[in-house]
Amino acid sequence: MRPKLTLKQIARELDVSISTVSKALRDSSEIGEETKKKIKAFAKLYNYRPNNIALSLKNRKTKTIGIIIPEIVHYFFTTVISGVEQVANEKGYNVIVCLSNNSFDKEVLNMELLANGSTDGFIMSMAKETLQKEDYHHLTEVTNQGMPLVLFDRVIDEVHCDKVIIDDVIGAKKAVQYLIDKGAKKIGLVSTVDYVSVGKLRTRGYLEILRENNVEIDENLILKIEDMDHSEAEIKDFINKNDLDAVFAVNEHFAIHAIKAVQEKGLKVPDDVSVIGFTDGELSKRFIPSLTTVSQHGERMGAEAARLLIDKLERKPEEEESYKTVIVETSLIERNSTKL
Amino acid sequence: MRPKLTLKQIARELDVSISTVSKALRDSSEIGEETKKKIKAFAKLYNYRPNNIALSLKNRKTKTIGIIIPEIVHYFFTTVISGVEQVANEKGYNVIVCLSNNSFDKEVLNMELLANGSTDGFIMSMAKETLQKEDYHHLTEVTNQGMPLVLFDRVIDEVHCDKVIIDDVIGAKKAVQYLIDKGAKKIGLVSTVDYVSVGKLRTRGYLEILRENNVEIDENLILKIEDMDHSEAEIKDFINKNDLDAVFAVNEHFAIHAIKAVQEKGLKVPDDVSVIGFTDGELSKRFIPSLTTVSQHGERMGAEAARLLIDKLERKPEEEESYKTVIVETSLIERNSTKL
DNA sequence: TTGTACGCGTTATCAC
DNA sequence: GTGATAACGCGTACAA
């Protein structure tokens, strides 16, 4: 076992000073060619690499960005991470991942931990509990300290920072308009409770587009899932009670439960009932029938978020502060859960 | 914007020395009660937190562990991360995630980067390219430097370190035995090429259990997918050519393609053909018919890996070196793709 | 009871 | 052309 080589050791070995070694390796013109050659050769031979921690301490930069997400066992978040990782890597940044498990306390803990020197900035999607509590002190805390923060997906107006969102309203409108165009009259909505902003926005899109098409809104055709653990039963009940042509679900899971419920009712998808989901994951692609969905392009969102963050990190402090909100476009992907 | 508070600033503000502050905050008995109280109050008021980077440099420990995986948009790896994260967090460690994208070069780059002070140790699953190349110098490099390494899932004997694997052979045997018990005579195998160790091991399990049951082995009933991009077509062809009672697929994707192929051939799953997969992901649970699978328990694997790594990290250097291999048991989960 | 000095690994500045 | 010194933020052995 051979411990890591340091400047000091090289210096001792070659009988020169530490600063000479440092300069030689950075190819400074101050150092004589001979000495440089010797030192570089030695460093190369023994595979010297500067210690990141020491550099971080010196430069007051860690070159790592922290991602905090509610859960990782979730296709969408996974694609976002992938996007972040890609551009972060290109620009020489590392990515450190923390999970809040949708818990407010863990989110706060994680942020504090990472804020104490571990990362230069944050990319995050807020925990459900945080959205309910409406307590954002940990976010303002870090931004006050001058650490850039980029919020994505689950976002709130109260926090001033860069944001990456999708056009939830427009995405929902696209989906419902598509159903209307295919001749659907009674279109059900399966959504979440309103403090989850995506649920709220997609619901708004649904309502708006119905109005624009002069379709009367029937509150009975709107289901808001309270408890994810009982979503299956709630959806089944909802499908059984109502006589729908089509269903717009705000995520994959709801969409699939809707399809199952329709089938168990003895009807066919898409012949009797069309179903559209939101978020384009593995499930949508491979389910039978494969799901027509509004794709969120998580990878693009991650990439955008990383770009925004790194821009902030590498900006000169003189430049004036301003916050951008990037909207990543959704697109409707037609598959087999809707009529042609 | 208020920059982070340091010991130095507290000292200046309160007109004491830095070390007094440090000691007071660590509740040292050397410091007078009065002074302690004053300093603690101030620190609490302004929310002082020690700088992780400085601590890392001083202690030569980062309290973070690096995970390097081939890809993150993959349910299994995602569950492993989740498991690692859980026990890491319990023990006060952070998790930094790097993706190799199955590329040898990126794997090497990532390891070198993290090895230069960013992490205390590694948990990794090797890139496909690395397995093909059989070049493990980057792994021996870090272990030589005294950094603990835990390999999981994709593992090779040549590298000496702790390992977490599943009983691939036994898992495969369980699955095939199950099919035999249900009366299957012609059992097809859909596997990967042999340099992917999981493919090799699961194939071995398949062969062994057939022998143990005195079932003749027919090479025609074994398909080894070369190119993932054409797996669908290859499987379709395979299913069409052979007249099978049952199929054992070494992953979810293959299993689902097999089911599709069977259905397109005009047969029914599970009535005419039973199908068992490996790896228990979203897809298996929600597909219709839902898939009977051998579950890998990724979360447990991640947790085990983290435990092994942290044990090594926190062990006294005197204790002698030894490497463990933990085998996480698989279990067969019965669903609707096999006959009752 | 408090403060000084040192070291962790690096680089920048300044002196020789 | 080379080397000593300070600084980044912290903890601690030792001196006062």
Side-chain angles (χ1 to χ4, degrees):
Chain A
M1 165 174 147
R2 161 178 49 90
K4 282 241 80 173
L5 196 59
T6 69
L7 287 186
K8 192 194 277 194
Q9 291 168 44
I10 301 184
R12 200 188 309 136
E13 212 68 41
L14 263 43
D15 209 40
V16 288
S17 82
I18 296 180
S19 46
T20 303
V21 178
S22 173
K23 285 173 190 163
L25 292 178
R26 321 197 85 238
D27 209 30
S28 158
S29 56
E30 293 180 51
I31 306 297
E33 280 308 321
E34 275 307 293
T35 334
K36 267 203 259 186
K37 219 173 264 176
K38 189 178 62 178
I39 293 177
K40 281 185 183 172
F42 188 91
K44 184 154 195 183
L45 180 61
Y46 290 103
N47 196 27
Y48 168 79
R49 293 275 182 282
N51 180 312
N52 291 332
I53 296 292
L55 287 179
S56 296
L57 185 58
K58 179 128 233 336
N59 304 330
R60 279 105 150 294
K61 281 187 190 171
T62 62
K63 282 284 196 173
T64 86
I65 78 189
I67 302 189
I68 301 181
I69 50 174
E71 44 182 339
I72 197 171
V73 186
H74 195 306
Y75 187 83
F76 171 65
F77 287 122
T78 261
T79 57
V80 173
I81 293 179
S82 192
V84 170
E85 218 265 351
Q86 230 166 285
V87 339
N89 248 257
E90 270 170 31
K91 313 226 174 186
Y93 284 77
N94 270 324
V95 172
I96 174 163
V97 174
C98 284
L99 313 180
S100 64
N101 284 324
N102 272 317
S103 140
F104 174 76
D105 290 337
K106 204 174 168 209
E107 186 175 284
V108 173
L109 229 58
N110 275 328
M111 283 210 91
E112 285 186 352
L113 202 67
L114 295 189
N116 296 322
S118 301
T119 60
D120 296 337
F122 290 99
I123 292 177
M124 82 176 264
S125 179
M126 301 172 67
K128 225 177 277 172
E129 224 184 75
T130 308
L131 293 170
Q132 283 175 69
K133 281 193 128 152
E134 302 189 352
D135 181 347
Y136 317 123
H137 77 274
H138 50 307
L139 302 185
T140 53
E141 190 85 5
V142 296
T143 52
N144 280 342
Q145 280 172 29
M147 296 187 74
L149 165 68
V150 179
L151 247 31
F152 75 90
D153 193 47
R154 297 186 188 162
V155 154
I156 28 95
D157 295 334
E158 287 90 329
V159 179
H160 302 291
C161 64
D162 285 336
K163 286 159 195 168
V164 178
I165 52 173
I166 57 160
D167 53 355
D168 277 291
V169 178
I170 298 176
K173 288 172 85 168
K174 280 182 195 166
V176 178
Q177 184 66 56
Y178 180 87
L179 293 171
I180 293 174
D181 291 346
K182 297 293 179 187
K185 304 289 178 207
K186 289 186 74 176
I187 302 173
L189 170 69
V190 181
S191 184
T192 58
V193 284
D194 278 348
Y195 60 75
V196 177
S197 67
V198 298
K200 186 160 65 183
L201 293 173
R202 291 169 197 172
T203 301
R204 188 158 88 208
Y206 166 87
L207 295 172
E208 279 182 18
I209 200 70
L210 288 186
R211 266 186 226 108
E212 285 174 26
N213 284 272
N214 295 315
V215 177
E216 202 187 334
I217 287 159
D218 180 352
E219 288 292 336
N220 293 320
L221 304 188
I222 298 177
L223 172 65
K224 292 189 181 175
I225 301 290
E226 192 87 38
D227 178 4
M228 284 301 278
D229 293 336
H230 298 110
S231 57
E232 187 166 358
E234 287 188 50
I235 290 170
K236 199 166 176 174
D237 190 49
F238 173 73
I239 295 290
N240 277 330
K241 271 203 318 231
N242 296 287
D243 222 18
L244 304 167
D245 304 327
V247 176
F248 171 52
V250 301
N251 61 43
E252 284 187 327
H253 296 256
F254 293 173
I256 278 166
H257 287 313
I259 290 179
K260 276 191 185 170
V262 168
Q263 289 171 339
E264 283 169 14
K265 199 181 170 182
L267 298 174
K268 287 197 171 163
V269 176
D271 304 324
D272 302 316
V273 182
S274 287
V275 177
I276 293 189
F278 214 111
T279 310
D280 189 41
E282 280 289 287
L283 216 48
S284 302
K285 275 177 226 152
R286 313 218 177 237
F287 201 74
I288 298 183
S290 59
L291 266 174
T292 297
T293 57
V294 180
S295 169
Q296 278 193 79
H297 301 298
E299 205 148 330
R300 276 190 222 162
M301 292 182 75
E304 280 301 334
R307 264 189 280 274
L308 283 173
L309 189 68
I310 293 173
D311 274 1
K312 275 267 155 64
L313 289 174
E314 301 190 340
R315 212 187 40 169
K316 306 279 171 297
E318 307 89 59
E319 295 174 42
E320 84 179 270
E321 196 73 54
S322 75
Y323 297 117
K324 294 192 198 110
T325 293
V326 172
I327 299 176
V328 175
E329 261 191 48
T330 54
S331 47
L332 192 72
I333 298 186
E334 300 184 46
R335 296 209 188 81
N336 300 322
S337 65
T338 48
K339 273 180 276 201
L340 289 184
Chain B
M1 164 174 147
R2 161 177 50 89
K4 282 241 82 173
L5 196 58
T6 68
L7 287 186
K8 193 195 277 193
Q9 291 167 44
I10 302 183
R12 200 188 310 137
E13 211 69 40
L14 263 43
D15 208 41
V16 288
S17 84
I18 296 178
S19 54
T20 305
V21 179
S22 173
K23 286 173 189 164
L25 293 178
R26 321 197 84 243
D27 209 31
S28 157
S29 57
E30 294 180 46
I31 306 297
E33 280 309 321
E34 276 305 294
T35 335
K36 268 204 257 186
K37 218 173 264 175
K38 188 178 63 178
I39 293 176
K40 281 186 182 173
F42 188 91
K44 183 153 195 183
L45 180 59
Y46 291 102
N47 196 29
Y48 168 79
R49 292 277 181 282
N51 180 311
N52 291 332
I53 295 293
L55 286 180
S56 296
L57 186 58
K58 177 140 237 330
N59 303 330
R60 280 106 150 291
K61 282 187 192 172
T62 63
K63 282 283 196 176
T64 88
I65 78 190
I67 302 189
I68 301 181
I69 51 173
E71 45 182 338
I72 198 171
V73 186
H74 194 306
Y75 187 82
F76 170 65
F77 287 123
T78 260
T79 56
V80 174
I81 294 179
S82 192
V84 171
E85 218 266 351
Q86 231 166 287
V87 339
N89 247 259
E90 270 170 30
K91 312 226 174 185
Y93 284 77
N94 270 323
V95 173
I96 173 162
V97 173
C98 283
L99 313 181
S100 64
N101 285 322
N102 272 316
S103 139
F104 173 75
D105 290 338
K106 204 174 169 211
E107 187 174 283
V108 173
L109 229 60
N110 276 329
M111 282 211 92
E112 286 186 352
L113 202 68
L114 296 189
N116 297 322
S118 301
T119 60
D120 295 338
F122 291 99
I123 292 177
M124 81 176 265
S125 180
M126 301 172 68
K128 226 176 276 172
E129 225 184 73
T130 309
L131 293 171
Q132 284 175 67
K133 281 193 127 150
E134 304 189 347
D135 181 347
Y136 317 124
H137 78 273
H138 50 308
L139 301 185
T140 52
E141 191 83 6
V142 297
T143 52
N144 280 341
Q145 280 172 30
M147 297 187 73
L149 164 69
V150 179
L151 247 30
F152 74 90
D153 193 46
R154 297 185 189 164
V155 154
I156 27 97
D157 295 334
E158 287 90 329
V159 179
H160 302 292
C161 63
D162 285 337
K163 287 160 194 167
V164 179
I165 53 175
I166 57 160
D167 52 356
D168 277 290
V169 178
I170 298 176
K173 288 172 87 168
K174 280 182 193 164
V176 177
Q177 184 67 56
Y178 181 87
L179 293 172
I180 291 174
D181 290 346
K182 296 294 177 186
K185 303 290 178 205
K186 289 187 72 176
I187 302 173
L189 169 68
V190 182
S191 183
T192 58
V193 284
D194 278 347
Y195 59 76
V196 178
S197 67
V198 298
K200 187 159 66 183
L201 294 172
R202 291 170 197 171
T203 300
R204 188 157 89 208
Y206 166 86
L207 295 173
E208 279 182 17
I209 200 71
L210 289 187
R211 264 186 227 109
E212 287 175 25
N213 285 273
N214 296 315
V215 176
E216 202 188 333
I217 287 159
D218 180 352
E219 288 292 338
N220 293 320
L221 303 189
I222 299 177
L223 172 65
K224 292 189 181 174
I225 301 290
E226 192 86 41
D227 178 4
M228 285 300 278
D229 293 336
H230 298 109
S231 58
E232 187 164 359
E234 286 187 50
I235 291 170
K236 200 166 176 176
D237 189 49
F238 174 73
I239 296 290
N240 277 331
K241 270 204 318 234
N242 296 288
D243 223 16
L244 305 166
D245 303 328
V247 176
F248 171 52
V250 300
N251 61 43
E252 283 188 327
H253 297 256
F254 292 172
I256 279 167
H257 287 312
I259 291 179
K260 276 191 184 169
V262 168
Q263 289 171 339
E264 283 169 15
K265 199 180 172 183
L267 298 175
K268 287 196 170 165
V269 176
D271 304 324
D272 302 315
V273 182
S274 286
V275 176
I276 293 190
F278 215 111
T279 311
D280 191 41
E282 281 290 287
L283 215 49
S284 302
K285 275 178 227 151
R286 311 218 179 236
F287 200 75
I288 299 183
S290 60
L291 266 174
T292 297
T293 57
V294 180
S295 170
Q296 278 193 78
H297 300 299
E299 206 148 331
R300 276 190 224 163
M301 292 183 73
E304 279 302 335
R307 263 189 282 273
L308 283 173
L309 189 69
I310 293 173
D311 274 1
K312 275 268 156 62
L313 290 174
E314 301 189 341
R315 212 187 41 169
K316 306 281 172 296
E318 308 91 60
E319 295 175 40
E320 82 180 271
E321 197 72 54
S322 75
Y323 298 117
K324 294 193 198 109
T325 293
V326 171
I327 298 176
V328 175
E329 261 190 49
T330 54
S331 47
L332 192 71
I333 299 186
E334 300 184 45
R335 296 209 187 81
N336 300 321
S337 66
T338 46
K339 271 179 278 201
L340 289 183

